Amino acid sequence: MDLNTFLEHMRERRPVPVPSEWQDFMVKTSQEARRITTELNASCHSPETICELMSKLTGQPVDPTFRLFPPFYTDFGKNIRFGKNVFVNSGCCFQDQGGITIGDGTLIGHQVVLATLNHALEPEQRATTLPGPIVIGKNVWIGAHATILQNVTIGDNAVIAAGAVVTRDVPANTVVAGVPAKVVKTI
């Protein structure tokens, strides 16, 4: 299996049963992601070196305006797309198999979790993972310790309050807060 075949499977939101060749590919790719993130997190790097390492991690060029304060964690890496002028603060965890797209000018606070996989509810199928993308618009601000779950789109200019758990789409130009997150203000 190659990366493009795997990513197409994820874009179609098809389940990943265990055991399967899809699961094997995820495990193999996670080895590379852990190697790169260990290098990223092991010492202090220049912004240019961080962009180089993130480009290696994602498998595509990361814009030189991208900024990241390590540590940063991901268990896949190859399904993250960063826009220009994106800032990711320290301690973030991206589970990106289902796809994460982050728009230009987005600010992501400390220890934010972006999770694109879920598990089947039936106990006998519990190990099966179910992918779904996260799409973050332009100029979004995500507060510290927020969690955004699969199949969520966040509109341009939205603000996600610190500690919010986002389980459904967020309209543009709104502030959401709480668990689960709800609109509390229009900008």
Side-chain angles (χ1 to χ4, degrees):
M1 174 176 313
D2 66 11
L3 180 60
N4 289 332
T5 302
F6 180 82
L7 292 178
E8 183 60 30
H9 186 88
M10 296 293 107
R11 273 190 293 278
E12 293 172 357
R13 301 179 190 193
R14 294 173 51 202
V16 177
V18 175
S20 70
E21 64 179 327
W22 308 103
Q23 175 70 19
D24 293 343
F25 187 83
M26 282 190 348
V27 170
K28 176 183 156 203
T29 306
S30 74
Q31 297 292 337
E32 179 184 359
R34 285 197 304 272
R35 183 183 54 74
I36 295 168
T37 56
T38 297
E39 182 180 351
L40 175 71
N41 297 334
S43 66
C44 189
H45 299 287
S46 70
E48 296 78 17
T49 300
I50 288 172
C51 284
E52 289 171 17
L53 288 167
M54 292 302 287
S55 295
K56 192 184 305 185
L57 177 68
T58 63
Q60 62 181 335
V62 171
D63 193 85
T65 61
F66 173 80
R67 292 293 177 259
L68 167 75
F69 288 175
F72 174 79
Y73 305 96
T74 183
D75 57 359
F76 192 72
K78 299 295 188 219
N79 210 0
I80 306 171
R81 305 294 174 258
F82 293 107
K84 295 178 181 178
N85 295 305
V86 169
F87 173 71
V88 178
N89 218 322
S90 63
C92 290
C93 298
F94 290 11
Q95 180 194 54
D96 64 295
Q97 291 89 336
I100 296 172
T101 303
I102 301 170
D104 296 346
T106 290
L107 306 172
I108 300 177
H110 288 91
Q111 298 182 344
V112 166
V113 173
L114 304 180
T116 67
L117 292 179
N118 207 342
H119 290 273
L121 289 177
E122 304 81 13
E124 56 280 347
Q125 297 297 318
R126 187 76 36 89
T128 295
T129 53
L130 309 168
I134 294 171
V135 178
I136 300 169
K138 295 178 181 178
N139 300 311
V140 171
W141 175 21
I142 303 172
H145 297 272
T147 298
I148 300 169
L149 300 180
Q150 70 177 75
N151 297 316
V152 166
T153 296
I154 298 173
D156 293 347
N157 307 311
V159 176
I160 311 303
V165 177
V166 181
T167 60
R168 56 182 74 125
D169 291 351
V170 174
N173 302 303
T174 61
V175 177
V176 298
V179 180
K182 294 182 172 122
V183 174
V184 295
K185 184 176 186 174
T186 300
I187 301 172

